[in-house]
Amino acid sequence: MEDDKIRCEELVRRLNEASEAYYNGREEIMSNYEWDALFDELLALEAKSGYILPDSPTRNTGYEENNGEREAHEFPALSLAKTKLVSELIKWAEDKEVWLSWKLDGLTLVLTYDGGKLTRILTRGNGVTGTNITYLKNAIKGFPLKIKYQGHMVVRGEATISYTDFALINDTIEDDDEKYANPRNLASGTLSLDDAEKVKERRVCFHAFTLVYLDDDVVSWGERMDFLAKEGFTVIDREKTDAEGISDAVERWTKKVESGEMDLPVDGLVICYDDTEYAASGSVTGHHAAKAGYAFKWQDVSALSELLYVEWSCAASTISPVAVFEPVQLEGTTVSRASLCNISEMERLGIGEKCTLEVIKANKIIPKCIAVKEAAGAFTVPLTCPVCGAQTEIRTSQKSKTKTLHCTNPDCSAKHVKKFTRFVSKSGMDIDGLSIQTMLKFMNEGFLKEFQDIYHLSEHAEEIRQMEGFGEKSCENMMKAIEKSRQANPVNFIYALCIPMMGIDAGKKIIADGGFEGFLERLEQKKGFEDIDGIGPEKSGSALLWYENDKNRLSLQALLQEVTIEKTDRKPDAQGKCAGLTFVITGEVSHYKNRDEFKAYVEASGGKVTGSVTSKTNYLVNNDAASASSKNRKAKELGIPIITEEEFLSRFG
């Protein structure tokens, strides 16, 4: 009995420490898999011994955040009871109609509306009190600031960051102490920031999952969710079913996750009663309300495999280890790779030169190594960077004491992946298919070191087709996009060069003044650009300093061997067909390569392009003239003609 008490105390301490890190957006100290296993062990021990500590996570919900003003919830935000057995869901459903929806893995927020306006946003916190983050109301997508309903209303939902956005954001964070373990960790850390603009950049999206309170008498949960959707909320996906249909529904929804079509992080499913009055009639503990809903978490299926080798992959300033092992079947797919995160995690797991790995797919998506068996020998840390060959060094984080590997070369191309991202962007060379992750893969394979190497990727086409995530079609599309970009607009080309302080507007002014030849001549002869209206000495000096660098100059010369710069008129034509007219261009375009090229034509023809429709707008160009978009509505209100691209070309082309 005494041993059970000691173990309970240890489990409560470890679980609460992990929850504190988890809920405050810091580096996670244990995986969900480990947390669930320890939580289940604690539940069993408490039932056996009757020894339950006041701060046990089985009796408490959430965890208090460390930042911000604390406020009481109007309605407690309790946890749901959880199960890994479909049979338990069927039993819980009884003879009632129920709804199945996702259990999103983000940060729960509670929104309050009064008189048709959003008045408060609270984080879930410990379920009784939360942090007021109303100041972020313009930075989070997925809910309206104003609604038609004028009564008192409380909505609960999950703020998430997609896997795509998570990967993009993490790849551009150079400081390892600032990187995030997963999208949930990133969402939590993001919503603790004071800078609303920074939060907006991270594309946090709110998904309403329940209407907690409404002055009006709407009993059906399904009708409540439909009501929220009509008011402009992003509402969680849902399906109506019953005890007989739950098993099939769970199987269908699980396959959506296993197939990889879900970009939002989910860690299970939820069922709730359609009859909200019945749902509110259940008993309530400090942890959950018995009838409020039932969460289903997938059983983690593990497999054993022999480690073949550790691959070290460079991204930004960090070189991260990836376990490559004998392929195994997990959750319906073949898995042969899993991130090992960093040197500290390798040491914690006990990775050896040879060993057997136990692997799962966390939340049925991300391969993860959870244990090591029969390890022999010690793993080796590479002495040179896999991208540039420079010396590496191990650094220990001051905050988390985590050991990570780094390249010491400040010019390593993997450290400058942001520049490659700008080069291939729509405002640059407009090359589809080259995401940050793809370019980092190519850098680690040795395919990419300089911008000009992009135009030689066809030499590695066969190898690329064999890489994970690629195939014949995607490789072919990428190669076509690269070839198409060989015809370059001079303004976009200047932007793509990543000259500090030289954006699209500066490029337009330079090209309008002397064309691309004039741009090269000014660099070669060190004339600068400060005599051009709107450039000034600071931007001019920045461009000259950039060109003095041998690496930049040679890169420009090499690129000019790969691309053809399109000829353009030097100055806007004051007598051109668009002279004196202001246009707004919206939606997809087909005759021009993109909207930037369309805009360049209008400006070269003496016209002006703005981003919003006002009384000064002469024409709105939209190929979907019947669209109910805000720009179309505004144009109709002001009596401004809406024309298609075809009509534009017939009048002004």
Side-chain angles (χ1 to χ4, degrees):
M1 183 66 176
E2 194 60 36
D3 287 345
D4 287 347
K5 287 184 177 181
I6 292 171
R7 181 58 177 164
C8 279
E9 289 167 1
E10 181 191 357
L11 289 171
V12 168
R13 177 185 58 77
R14 289 180 61 189
L15 287 167
N16 282 342
E17 282 177 0
S19 293
E20 199 273 337
Y22 180 86
Y23 282 102
N24 284 294
R26 295 206 310 277
E27 183 173 339
E28 294 184 359
I29 58 180
M30 73 172 64
S31 67
N32 282 344
Y33 181 87
E34 293 170 291
W35 201 95
D36 286 344
L38 294 182
F39 185 86
D40 290 344
E41 182 186 350
L42 178 61
L43 265 179
L45 272 177
E46 288 177 345
K48 173 187 171 187
S49 65
Y51 181 63
I52 303 172
L53 293 165
D55 60 342
S56 170
T58 66
R59 293 295 180 268
N60 299 300
T61 177
Y63 205 93
E64 292 196 7
E65 298 96 342
N66 291 334
N67 57 299
E69 292 294 320
R70 311 289 301 173
E71 293 184 16
H73 284 293
E74 183 179 358
F75 304 94
L78 302 177
S79 291
L80 299 178
K82 299 178 180 66
T83 184
K84 293 186 178 181
L85 301 174
V86 175
S87 59
E88 292 289 334
L89 298 182
I90 295 170
K91 181 181 176 182
W92 188 87
E94 302 173 323
D95 58 348
K96 304 286 190 296
E97 288 185 324
V98 295
W99 287 88
L100 182 71
S101 61
W102 296 118
K103 185 176 181 293
L104 294 178
D105 193 16
L107 193 73
T108 300
L109 301 181
V110 182
L111 279 55
T112 303
Y113 289 80
D114 286 291
K117 294 181 180 179
L118 175 65
T119 56
R120 187 170 79 157
I121 305 174
L122 287 186
T123 63
R124 177 184 171 192
N126 63 7
V128 178
T129 62
T131 301
N132 189 320
I133 59 167
T134 313
Y135 65 94
L136 295 178
K137 64 183 181 182
N138 292 305
I140 305 169
K141 300 184 297 177
F143 56 77
L145 301 181
K146 294 181 180 179
I147 58 176
K148 293 177 183 176
Y149 183 71
Q150 296 296 302
H152 181 59
M153 186 172 85
V154 180
V155 182
R156 200 176 292 146
E158 200 81 353
T160 63
I161 293 176
S162 70
Y163 281 111
T164 299
D165 288 327
F166 165 72
L168 288 171
I169 293 163
N170 236 16
D171 281 340
T172 58
I173 297 174
E174 295 192 359
D175 186 343
D176 288 292
D177 277 351
E178 303 302 320
K179 283 185 182 287
Y180 294 90
N182 51 50
R184 196 254 170 242
N185 188 247
L186 175 58
S188 176
T190 296
L191 294 182
S192 68
L193 298 174
D194 293 327
D195 186 349
E197 284 304 310
K198 189 71 175 175
V199 174
K200 193 173 184 178
E201 287 175 12
R202 294 186 176 182
R203 297 168 62 83
V204 180
C205 189
F206 176 86
H207 293 77
F209 60 66
T210 192
L211 175 49
V212 181
Y213 178 83
L214 190 73
D215 282 338
D216 292 6
D217 188 20
V218 181
V219 174
S220 164
W221 184 88
E223 289 177 16
R224 285 179 166 224
M225 301 309 283
D226 290 342
F227 169 79
L228 289 178
K230 288 174 184 174
E231 286 285 9
F233 289 84
T234 298
V235 179
I236 198 160
D237 292 344
R238 55 210 181 276
E239 176 185 337
K240 197 172 189 179
T241 185
D242 55 23
E244 189 177 338
I246 283 176
S247 185
D248 288 342
V250 167
E251 187 176 348
R252 281 197 310 277
W253 282 56
T254 300
K255 284 179 179 176
K256 290 181 185 179
V257 178
E258 291 175 341
S259 68
E261 68 180 81
M262 282 294 294
D263 196 29
L264 289 176
V266 298
D267 62 352
L269 303 169
V270 172
I271 62 167
C272 65
Y273 295 115
D274 185 59
D275 185 341
T276 57
E277 289 184 350
Y278 178 75
S281 68
S283 60
V284 177
T285 69
H287 187 261
H288 69 272
K291 293 181 180 178
Y294 209 176
F296 171 77
K297 297 194 77 171
W298 294 290
Q299 295 271 11
D300 286 306
V301 179
S302 68
L304 297 177
S305 181
E306 297 304 310
L307 176 69
L308 298 176
Y309 58 91
V310 174
E311 177 182 287
W312 295 82
S313 176
C314 192
S317 65
T318 311
I319 305 173
S320 302
V322 177
V324 181
F325 44 84
E326 291 284 359
V328 291
Q329 286 292 312
L330 269 178
E331 313 282 4
T333 60
T334 303
V335 178
S336 60
R337 300 163 62 84
S339 171
L340 294 172
C341 300
N342 50 54
I343 295 171
S344 293
E345 179 67 0
M346 293 178 74
E347 291 175 342
R348 186 186 76 81
L349 287 168
I351 297 287
E353 183 182 12
K354 294 181 178 179
C355 57
T356 300
L357 305 178
E358 185 177 3
V359 185
I360 64 168
K361 280 178 74 175
N363 294 340
K364 294 195 171 290
I365 296 174
I366 302 170
K368 182 176 181 61
C369 178
I370 59 167
V372 167
K373 305 175 188 297
E374 301 172 4
F379 66 84
T380 56
V381 176
L383 301 176
T384 58
C385 171
V387 172
C388 70
Q391 186 176 345
T392 60
E393 66 177 11
I394 298 172
R395 298 176 193 164
T396 303
S397 162
Q398 296 270 332
K399 186 165 70 176
S400 63
K401 306 303 178 187
T402 300
K403 287 190 279 189
T404 50
L405 188 66
H406 298 262
C407 172
T408 57
N409 175 16
D411 293 322
C412 178
S413 55
K415 291 184 179 180
H416 301 288
V417 70
K418 284 185 185 178
K419 290 184 178 179
F420 280 82
T421 303
R422 174 165 166 168
F423 184 86
V424 303
S425 70
K426 283 199 175 296
S427 296
M429 302 303 285
D430 191 18
I431 306 175
D432 282 334
L434 283 175
S435 65
I436 286 180
Q437 297 96 317
T438 298
M439 288 189 288
L440 283 169
K441 279 184 185 178
F442 292 168
M443 287 173 183
N444 281 282
E445 291 293 332
F447 302 163
L448 281 186
K449 289 186 172 64
E450 308 291 343
F451 290 153
Q452 61 267 25
D453 294 336
I454 289 172
Y455 294 97
H456 294 274
L457 284 174
S458 57
E459 297 168 14
H460 308 285
E462 197 53 46
E463 293 165 272
I464 292 170
R465 288 188 192 98
Q466 305 304 317
M467 292 172 69
E468 189 176 350
F470 276 91
E472 188 68 41
K473 192 66 178 175
S474 58
C475 183
E476 181 186 339
N477 290 340
M478 183 180 68
M479 296 305 170
K480 283 180 179 177
I482 291 170
E483 287 306 306
K484 185 179 177 182
S485 75
R486 287 185 184 273
Q487 296 294 318
N489 176 283
V491 173
N492 300 111
F493 183 78
I494 290 173
Y495 176 84
L497 292 173
C498 301
I499 302 171
M501 302 180 70
M502 283 287 177
I504 289 289
D505 287 340
K508 285 178 180 175
K509 287 165 183 169
I510 290 168
I511 296 303
D513 178 83
F516 189 72
E517 296 80 5
F519 165 72
L520 293 177
E521 184 181 317
R522 283 173 177 267
L523 289 175
E524 280 289 342
Q525 297 180 9
K526 300 182 181 179
K527 286 182 181 178
F529 306 90
E530 59 189 274
D531 60 312
I532 298 174
D533 185 39
I535 300 295
E538 195 174 2
K539 287 183 181 178
S540 175
S542 175
L544 291 177
L545 193 63
W546 176 88
Y547 193 69
E548 284 176 14
N549 183 299
D550 290 343
K551 192 172 184 292
N552 295 331
R553 190 168 59 255
L554 291 171
S555 176
L556 171 57
Q557 291 167 1
L559 279 170
L560 291 175
Q561 299 298 311
E562 305 293 344
V563 303
T564 301
I565 306 299
E566 297 168 353
K567 298 288 183 184
T568 59
D569 292 329
R570 294 189 173 191
K571 293 182 182 293
D573 185 356
Q575 305 301 315
K577 291 187 176 183
C578 299
L581 298 175
T582 299
F583 296 83
V584 172
I585 303 166
T586 189
E588 297 292 324
V589 295
S590 54
H591 290 280
Y592 293 92
K593 184 161 66 173
N594 50 44
R595 290 210 297 263
D596 286 336
E597 187 176 89
F598 196 160
K599 182 180 178 183
Y601 170 79
V602 172
E603 291 173 342
S605 301
K608 183 180 178 183
V609 176
T610 61
S612 56
V613 177
T614 69
S615 58
K616 294 181 180 179
T617 304
N618 295 104
Y619 293 95
L620 170 63
V621 184
N622 187 351
N623 283 325
D624 184 5
S627 164
S629 69
S630 58
K631 287 179 180 175
N632 272 26
R633 291 200 304 270
K634 188 71 172 177
K636 288 173 183 175
E637 286 173 17
L638 297 173
I640 292 163
I642 303 173
I643 61 174
T644 64
E645 200 177 351
E646 289 283 359
E647 290 172 306
F648 172 86
L649 290 169
S650 67
R651 296 189 198 187
F652 309 105

